[in-house]
Amino acid sequence: MISEPSRHCTVELQALPSRIGQVRRIISAQLRYWHLDPLIDQAALGVTELLTNVHRHAQPDKSCTVDIELLLDRLTVSVHDHDPRLPTVNEADSFATSGRGLALIAAVSESWGVRPVGSAGKAVWFTLPAVTGASTLPPLAVYGSMTDGPFGAVTITPDDIAALPARSAVVG
């Protein structure tokens, strides 16, 4: 049986304010390449919030890895840093200018969570549905292939994504 492998992209960086915008552009370009344009705003917002948390809170350093992976009908974005302390969702008061990052991720994602990585830190992740997006991906090159396959193109719109309910989960 031949199946299409997952699509995966990894970026290693120092979570500094000047680098966060660069990572947003990389994520946006990668999602455009995968024909997942409707997910760009949500993924860019989520990765910005996660990198900002690394910048503000991670110890002993600000180095981290951003992974995006499209597997079947899910886009997973994760940020791994070297701080083993797990984040908590804060209830910011209405006048606070920060403290809503994880709540924003919960609001725009299908699910999210935290995975400890032993003494090497943690990975904070979120998923976005790409239900029909996977079928709009360009086929992977197969030597000798002459067709795009048996399925017609399916188009997904921002309204399709916005209509999906957001759910969250925290995994310890």
Side-chain angles (χ1 to χ4, degrees):
M1 177 176 160
I2 298 173
S3 63
E4 185 174 313
S6 68
R7 309 283 174 118
H8 188 254
C9 176
T10 300
V11 179
E12 294 180 19
L13 69 141
Q14 291 289 319
L16 304 173
S18 61
R19 296 299 311 265
I20 294 172
Q22 292 172 339
V23 173
R24 285 174 60 96
R25 289 187 293 277
I26 291 168
I27 299 292
S28 297
Q30 190 65 54
L31 293 179
R32 274 192 296 279
Y33 178 73
W34 290 342
H35 299 279
L36 294 172
D37 299 50
L39 301 181
I40 290 172
D41 289 342
Q42 292 164 293
L45 173 65
V47 80
T48 298
E49 294 300 331
L50 294 180
L51 290 175
T52 299
N53 283 350
V54 173
H55 173 69
R56 288 187 177 170
H57 305 292
Q59 299 293 329
D61 59 42
K62 306 302 180 191
S63 62
C64 62
T65 303
V66 176
D67 284 304
I68 59 171
E69 182 175 33
L70 178 63
L71 184 59
L72 300 176
D73 61 350
R74 293 282 167 276
L75 178 73
T76 301
V77 179
S78 63
V79 174
H80 172 260
D81 65 48
H82 299 116
D83 189 342
R85 295 175 300 158
L86 301 179
T88 57
V89 179
N90 296 328
E91 194 169 313
D93 70 47
S94 57
F95 296 107
T97 58
S98 64
R100 295 180 182 88
L102 292 176
L104 278 170
I105 289 170
V108 302
S109 67
E110 179 181 58
S111 61
W112 74 278
V114 181
R115 183 178 63 251
V117 185
S119 62
K122 67 183 167 300
V124 182
W125 56 269
F126 64 92
T127 63
L128 299 172
V131 177
T132 58
S135 62
T136 64
L137 291 172
L140 292 177
V142 177
Y143 187 75
S145 174
M146 299 302 289
T147 68
D148 288 341
F151 306 107
V154 176
T155 304
I156 148 176
T157 68
D159 292 335
D160 295 332
I161 296 297
L164 296 171
R167 296 175 294 195
S168 66
V170 177
V171 178

